[in-house]
Amino acid sequence: MISKAMKDRESLGDTPPEIFRKQLHALADWIADFRENIETLPVAPDEKPGAIRARLPAQPPEEGEPFERILSDVDRLIVPGMVHWSHPMFLGYFGWTMTASGILGEILSAPLNVNAMTWRTCPAATELETVVIDWLRQWLGLPGEFDGVVYDTASVGIMHALAAAREEAARSTRKLGLTNRELPRFRIYTSDEAHSAAEKAAITLGIGEENVRRVPSDSDFRMDLNELRKAITRDVRDNVKPLAVIATVGTTSTASVDLIPAIAKICREQRMWLHIDGAYGGAFAMLPEYKWVSRGWDMADSIVINPHKTLFVPLDFSVLYVRDLERLRRVFTLVPEVLRGDTIEGEKNYMDYGIQLGRRFRALKAWVIWRLLGRAGILARLREQIRLANLLAGWIKSDNCFELAAPVSMGVVCFRFVRAHKDQIDPFNSEIVERINASGRAYLTQTKLCGRTVMRIGFGNVLTTEEHLRKAWEIIQETASKL
Ligand SMILES: Cc1ncc(COP(=O)(O)O)c(C=O)c1O
C-alpha cells in the first residue's frame, strides 16, 4: 500500500510522462481544430469592459485542477472574449503573421525554455540568434557592418538605438547620468506620421517627450525635408543639440516611406544618429521590386525590423541592427558577479546589448518558420498582400461613395466614405468601423490623416483570400449604405 507521505512526494514532481503525452495530444488536436475552424468564430466579441472578468473566478485556486477542465474553460471563457487576430476577416493594424508553421516553432521553444543571457547559459540559443539575425540581414541586403540583437518589440529596439545615440552625443551618460553636467538640450526629429515609440523612448531615456520634434509630412505622408531642415536650423540657433532623426519605412497609418537618402545626408552634415523604423515596411526590401525602400540604409546608424509584423514570426520578435554593434554593447555591457563565471569566453553574450538580462529562445521560432517557408514562400506571400491591397484600391476607386485617402503602399489601404454632408463624413467613417467591429463579421482600423477620419485595412494574414476581401468590401458598402 502506498503511504500518504509517498503519494505526497510523488505529487511534488512533474506530470507523469504517460499523462503528459495524452495532454499534449489533446492540446495538439485543440490547436489544429482551432486553426481549422477559426473562420466560424466572430472576429471580435461585443462585450462590455469587465464582462469577461465577471465570468472568471476572483479567488485563486486552492487545489490543483485537471488540465481538461482548464482547456474546456479556454473554450468557454477565453476564446469567446478574444479579438481573433489570426481570423481571415481580421484586417486591422497590419494583419497578422500567424501560420501553422509559426505555431510549430512557438511550441518547440516551450519545452526547451532556456535563458539565453550569455553564450554559456545556452550556446545554441545564442549562436542561432546570431545566425537568424544574419539570415535576415542578407535577405534585406544590409551591409555586413550591420549586426543585431533580438528584442520583443520595435519600441524597445528604438529605445536602445537612441540610448546608443545619446551615449555618443553625451559621453559617459551611462556612468554619470544627465543631471548636473551642463549638457545641452537634445532633440529627436521624426515625422508627424511616425510611431509614438519615439516619445516613449525619449521619456525612458530622460530626453523628454517634448524634445521629440514632429516634423510635418508632405502630401504623400513622407517627412517634409524643408521642414526638417528648418527645425534643425532653429534648434541649432537656440543652442539645442540635434541628436537623432527617426525616419520611417512603412508608417503606421499609410505605410509611407520617408526619403531616407536625403535624410541621411542631413544627418551626416549635422553629425546626428539616423535610426530607421522599418518595423512594418522594412521587410518589403526582400522583394526585388521593393528594393527602393532600402535606399540609403547603408548610411543609417540603426534599423529596426519586426518579423512579427511582416515576416511570419509569431509575436514577439523584433530585430535591431546597429552599424558596428559594439556601439550598443558599450552602453549596456555590465557583468554582475553571479554571472562572471558564465561570461569568461569571448563569445557574444546577448545580455550585453540591452537592459534585459533573462532572454527567451526567440531565434528558434524564426529559424523554424523561415526554413519551412523559405525566401520564396515569404516573397510569394508578401506579393499576395500587395495584390490584395491593389485589388481593394481598384474597388474603392470605382465606387463613387468612397475615395482613397492615401497612395496604396505595401499591404495597407486607407480610404473614406464621402457620400455625406461634409460635417458628417468623419463621424460616419468612425461609425462604419465601430459597427463592423462590433458585428464580429470583420475587423478594421480607423485613423486620422490630415485631421480627417479614414478607414484603414492592413493585410498580412495568410488566411485572408480574395474571397474574404470581397466579403469585407461588401460589408463596408452595406454598413455605409445603412447610415
Ligand atoms: C512603424 C511602426 N514602428 C513601431 C511600432 C511599434 O511596434 P512594437 O509593437 O513592436 O513596439 C509600430 C507598431 O505598429 C509601427 O507601426
Side-chain angles (χ1 to χ4, degrees):
M1 220 174 98
I2 306 171
S3 71
K4 182 173 178 313
M6 213 171 187
K7 248 191 176 162
D8 284 350
R9 230 188 357 261
E10 264 179 17
S11 69
L12 293 181
D14 205 354
T15 309
E18 61 287 0
I19 296 179
F20 180 50
R21 193 174 295 276
K22 279 201 188 115
Q23 291 171 336
L24 272 180
H25 285 152
L27 185 61
D29 281 337
W30 187 93
I31 293 170
D33 289 343
F34 174 75
R35 191 78 186 142
E36 193 177 339
N37 302 323
I38 190 165
E39 198 166 345
T40 63
L41 299 172
V43 188
D46 189 17
E47 297 272 23
K48 297 267 174 300
I52 297 158
R53 204 175 61 213
R55 281 179 227 131
L56 296 167
Q59 275 77 39
E62 183 57 29
E63 300 289 338
E65 298 180 58
F67 177 68
E68 295 70 24
R69 190 189 304 158
I70 298 168
L71 194 57
S72 90
D73 279 355
V74 171
D75 276 326
R76 199 168 58 86
L77 302 170
I78 306 297
V79 170
M82 291 187 59
V83 172
H84 292 288
W85 285 60
S86 308
H87 195 292
M89 297 295 280
F90 181 88
L91 302 164
Y93 303 99
F94 286 119
W96 205 228
T97 46
M98 183 45 70
T99 59
S101 312
I103 295 171
L104 295 179
E106 194 74 272
I107 291 174
L108 201 51
S109 61
L112 301 178
N113 194 26
V114 289
N115 194 337
M117 359 182 227
T118 70
W119 175 83
R120 219 200 239 189
T121 61
C122 192
T126 300
E127 294 189 18
L128 193 65
E129 182 161 338
T130 307
V131 166
V132 295
I133 287 169
D134 200 62
W135 279 7
L136 182 58
R137 183 195 63 75
Q138 292 174 47
W139 277 344
L140 296 171
L142 269 180
E145 56 193 316
F146 282 90
D147 193 359
V149 53
V150 175
Y151 299 122
D152 52 358
T153 57
S155 305
V156 168
I158 292 170
M159 192 276 289
H160 282 92
L162 291 176
R166 187 189 63 176
E167 187 68 19
E168 292 190 7
R171 297 266 168 207
S172 301
T173 294
R174 70 161 275 174
K175 261 200 171 82
L176 306 171
L178 288 168
T179 48
N180 285 337
R181 292 180 59 203
E182 294 185 4
L183 290 170
R185 185 172 182 175
F186 291 111
R187 199 82 91 197
I188 295 162
Y189 307 85
T190 196
S191 93
D192 55 7
E193 288 294 319
H195 196 268
S196 51
E199 278 83 1
K200 284 279 186 92
I203 293 167
T204 314
L205 295 169
I207 289 168
E209 192 178 346
E210 286 192 359
N211 286 314
V212 177
R213 187 65 84 222
R214 288 289 181 158
V215 179
S217 45
D218 63 17
S219 56
D220 283 335
F221 307 101
R222 302 171 304 188
M223 194 190 301
D224 184 317
L225 299 180
N226 279 332
E227 294 290 339
L228 173 63
R229 277 200 199 89
K230 274 199 260 172
I232 294 173
T233 306
R234 255 194 323 267
D235 281 343
V236 171
R237 191 197 55 208
D238 296 344
N239 289 326
V240 175
K241 172 100 181 70
L243 176 72
V245 175
I246 302 175
T248 312
V249 173
T251 53
T252 313
S253 285
T254 69
S256 58
V257 178
D258 284 338
L259 297 160
I260 310 280
I263 294 173
K265 199 160 159 273
I266 296 172
C267 287
R268 285 263 160 106
E269 285 162 15
Q270 299 290 335
R271 303 170 68 92
M272 298 166 77
W273 184 284
L274 172 57
H275 175 76
I276 295 173
D277 178 359
Y280 166 68
F284 281 84
M286 281 179 68
L287 290 166
E289 63 272 30
Y290 271 78
K291 202 72 220 145
W292 59 270
V293 303
S294 65
R295 266 185 231 136
W297 288 12
D298 53 339
M299 292 190 279
D301 294 284
S302 54
I303 302 175
V304 82
I305 306 278
N306 268 9
H308 74 227
K309 282 198 200 317
T310 332
L311 293 178
F312 309 102
V313 182
L315 188 75
D316 45 8
F317 191 96
S318 177
V319 186
L320 173 72
Y321 289 98
V322 179
R323 192 156 41 77
D324 180 10
L325 194 60
E326 183 57 23
R327 298 159 85 193
L328 181 64
R329 204 186 78 90
R330 274 200 293 269
V331 190
F332 288 104
T333 180
L334 194 152
V335 181
E337 217 36 64
V338 69
L339 280 165
R340 201 158 297 283
D342 271 340
T343 51
I344 43 180
E345 290 85 0
E347 292 303 321
K348 199 172 251 167
N349 298 313
Y350 278 112
M351 68 167 191
D352 280 345
Y353 298 85
I355 54 167
Q356 208 181 338
L357 172 62
R359 311 179 74 253
R360 300 176 55 204
F361 190 178
R362 292 198 184 91
L364 188 64
K365 60 184 175 182
W367 192 60
V368 170
I369 178 95
W370 290 346
R371 287 183 65 188
L372 283 164
L373 295 182
R375 177 173 166 273
I378 293 171
L379 297 196
R381 284 167 178 80
L382 292 181
R383 286 192 175 116
E384 176 62 3
Q385 294 168 23
I386 296 165
R387 187 187 77 81
L388 291 177
N390 285 294
L391 187 67
L392 173 63
W395 297 341
I396 292 165
K397 280 190 211 152
S398 62
D399 183 335
N400 59 14
C401 293
F402 295 86
E403 68 181 21
L404 273 181
V408 174
S409 172
M410 305 170 189
V412 174
V413 183
C414 291
F415 59 103
R416 213 163 124 83
F417 174 67
V418 288
R419 265 301 165 93
H421 184 269
K422 69 176 175 25
D423 295 340
Q424 300 236 275
I425 294 181
D426 279 352
F428 274 12
N429 277 275
S430 235
E431 181 69 18
I432 296 170
V433 174
E434 301 271 339
R435 283 195 196 180
I436 293 173
N437 292 357
S439 77
R441 295 163 76 200
Y443 201 96
L444 324 181
T445 310
Q446 53 181 307
T447 185
K448 288 243 183 222
L449 293 179
C450 307
R452 302 182 317 174
T453 305
V454 306
M455 292 181 264
R456 179 187 172 290
I457 280 185
F459 295 94
N461 195 326
V462 292
L463 297 181
T464 304
T465 62
E466 187 173 326
E467 201 185 314
H468 294 107
L469 183 59
R470 200 172 293 281
K471 201 156 91 192
W473 177 231
E474 281 165 15
I475 295 171
I476 294 165
Q477 288 176 310
E478 176 200 306
T479 311
S481 72
K482 287 187 185 149
L483 286 173

